[in-house]
Amino acid sequence: METIKWAANRLPKSEDKDLAVMSLENVAKARAFHRSFPQYSVTPLAELSGMARELGLAGLYVKDESYRFGLNAFKVLGGSFAMARYIAQKTGKDVSEMSYDYLTSDKLKEEFGQATFFTATDGNHGRGVAWAANKLGQKAVVHMPKGSVKTRFDNIAREGAQVTIEEVNYDDCVRMAAAEAAATPNGVVVQDTAWEGYEEIPAWIMQGYGTMASEAADQLREIGAGRPTHVFVQAGVGSLAGAIQGFFVNRYPDCPPAVVVMEAGAADCLYQGAVAGDGKPRFVTGDLRTIMAGLACGEPNTIGWDILKNHTAAFLSCPDWVAAKGMRMLSAPVKGDPRVISGESGAVGMGVISTVMTDDAYADFRAAVGLDGSSRVLLFSTEGDTDPVNYKKVVWDGGYPCC
């Protein structure tokens, strides 16, 4: 069986200028914006006390994003806030003035008009962009990579977006969206992957993701768990991972939690960068085939990479069975623990923590990141069953077994 590969962070540090992207002030603005939506509610934090005992941990907590805005995934947090910041910039206002009521008003139509937001997606980000554009009276064009699931396509189309499935991978879809946006009047590319010359909007998307981290930190405090000692967060391009890492460093500057970044083995660009060890990003090309569709991205976000290489404890490359194992464990929890419906990209953290805590082959990893009986671990289940057919194949039929 293919094992989880890991690399401790020994990367050279930069000036850390991008950490300011995830300042508490910026995250507070994002959270206030999201709170203005009538559909907003804080998503649950599942406390898995029984599972923590089973694995030899002091605490295990899962932020369940299947409840986010009724969209079954967290991604809408980033796209919607980026739209708000873009419109604020174009109208000469601060984003604090961009409430849901204002953005859906006749006054906004007069002052701004309508833009077309272009994006590439495996499903969740595109659905979030399409939903936000629909709610705010804007247009959306969404390109999906080959192999994309029809359910995810249909969910995007249902929001009124123009959506296609292309015969290229995710990173090529990003280039397609950027080119079309540049050729369209009032066209804007809303992508959470950053590259040289395109960093402002990805930074805004990352700030939007900060709402999820901020909620989780408050929820941990409210239940008396306090600061997590460890945060396990998944990565595609690294925007979410960089956002979570950046938030917790800013929230707990004197004693930040150890953050472990997890990628799909078929698209482990951050892990490859960690192994190379020179601080430069690495690209993974090809079809990027993995059940973790939301993580099938081979080119890192430059902002996220900068934050991660300065602060992250370790990088992991995970085979598909790890995500499948996590899906089954969250669906059939220890008696007394709440059930979490978690999709392929959402459940990899559960698969990882259960494996590294119970298999002595990972003793060196546990020692390297300080995992032991006093650890309080926070995971993010970033999506629910966004591919219902594959969810049943994994959870009901035992697909992608771990042994």
Side-chain angles (χ1 to χ4, degrees):
M1 184 177 68
E2 193 178 357
T3 61
I4 300 169
K5 295 182 286 188
W6 67 278
N9 184 2
R10 298 186 178 90
L11 293 160
K13 308 308 179 208
S14 72
E15 297 173 1
D16 214 15
K17 62 179 175 60
D18 289 315
L19 183 62
V21 167
M22 296 308 299
S23 72
L24 299 186
E25 179 185 6
N26 284 336
V27 173
K29 285 185 176 182
R31 195 167 171 187
F33 166 71
H34 292 131
R35 202 180 284 122
S36 78
F37 277 67
Q39 301 87 353
Y40 174 80
S41 62
V42 176
T43 55
L45 182 75
E47 183 174 6
L48 305 184
S49 302
M51 188 70 76
R53 288 191 297 273
E54 187 86 12
L55 299 178
L57 296 166
L60 183 61
Y61 313 92
V62 181
K63 183 68 165 159
D64 184 356
E65 288 297 297
S66 67
Y67 291 89
R68 183 66 67 184
F69 284 156
L71 296 175
N72 214 12
F74 82 105
K75 283 280 194 175
V76 65
L77 294 172
S80 62
F81 189 61
M83 286 183 191
R85 288 210 58 167
Y86 176 81
I87 293 170
Q89 185 183 76
K90 290 298 180 184
T91 55
K93 291 178 164 55
D94 187 79
V95 73
S96 60
E97 301 174 70
M98 297 291 113
S99 68
Y100 178 88
D101 286 345
Y102 173 72
L103 287 169
T104 54
S105 68
D106 290 337
K107 186 178 181 186
L108 187 277
K109 286 179 186 170
E110 293 169 14
E111 293 178 348
F112 176 74
Q114 195 174 53
T116 303
F117 293 95
F118 290 81
T119 196
T121 186
D122 70 276
N124 294 338
H125 173 68
R127 187 180 184 186
V129 168
W131 180 87
N134 189 13
K135 290 287 182 283
L136 303 180
Q138 305 297 323
K139 294 179 182 176
V141 176
V142 180
H143 295 307
M144 305 181 73
K146 63 180 174 181
S148 292
V149 173
K150 188 173 187 302
T151 301
R152 293 175 179 146
F153 174 96
D154 292 342
N155 284 334
I156 295 167
R158 204 171 289 123
E159 299 296 342
Q162 179 185 323
V163 55
T164 65
I165 296 178
E166 304 293 339
E167 283 301 311
V168 295
N169 71 16
Y170 168 82
D171 298 298
D172 287 332
C173 281
V174 171
R175 285 182 268 276
M176 183 182 297
E180 290 181 9
T184 302
N186 297 323
V188 191
V189 60
V190 180
Q191 208 65 52
D192 67 353
T193 186
W195 56 87
E196 194 170 335
Y198 181 74
E199 293 180 321
E200 191 172 50
I201 287 176
W204 295 342
I205 289 173
M206 289 172 67
Q207 290 164 4
Y209 296 161
T211 288
M212 179 173 65
S214 176
E215 287 178 2
D218 286 352
Q219 288 168 306
L220 286 169
R221 190 187 67 242
E222 287 161 8
I223 63 174
R227 178 189 68 87
T229 61
H230 296 77
V231 177
F232 282 66
V233 60
Q234 50 273 60
V237 297
S239 299
L240 169 64
I244 298 298
Q245 174 73 84
F247 170 80
F248 278 105
V249 171
N250 283 312
R251 175 81 176 234
Y252 302 106
D254 298 327
C255 190
V259 173
V260 175
V261 173
M262 309 167 296
E263 293 177 282
D268 55 1
C269 54
L270 302 172
Y271 167 81
Q272 295 293 345
V275 170
D278 58 9
K280 297 175 183 175
R282 293 298 191 275
F283 291 179
V284 175
T285 58
D287 286 346
L288 313 178
R289 290 192 180 278
T290 171
I291 62 169
M292 294 171 266
L295 311 185
C297 314
E299 299 182 17
N301 173 337
T302 52
I303 303 170
W305 175 241
D306 186 61
I307 294 173
L308 294 172
K309 71 183 181 183
N310 285 315
H311 300 285
T312 294
F315 296 85
L316 273 58
S317 174
C318 304
D320 281 351
W321 66 258
V322 179
K325 178 184 180 184
M327 292 166 69
R328 286 188 284 269
M329 292 182 73
L330 288 170
S331 178
V334 173
K335 187 175 181 179
D337 284 356
R339 183 184 185 212
V340 178
I341 303 294
S342 185
E344 299 84 351
S345 299
V348 63
M350 187 69 242
V352 164
I353 194 66
S354 62
T355 301
V356 301
M357 290 305 295
T358 58
D359 187 341
D360 281 341
Y362 301 97
D364 288 348
F365 170 76
R366 294 197 298 267
V369 300
L371 273 172
D372 57 30
S374 65
S375 299
R376 298 181 305 280
V377 178
L378 173 64
L379 311 175
F380 291 90
S381 177
T382 48
E383 65 173 359
D385 54 346
T386 55
D387 180 354
V389 172
N390 199 57
Y391 183 85
K392 291 173 183 173
K393 177 182 175 183
V394 170
V395 175
W396 291 5
D397 300 335
Y400 305 93
C402 58
C403 54

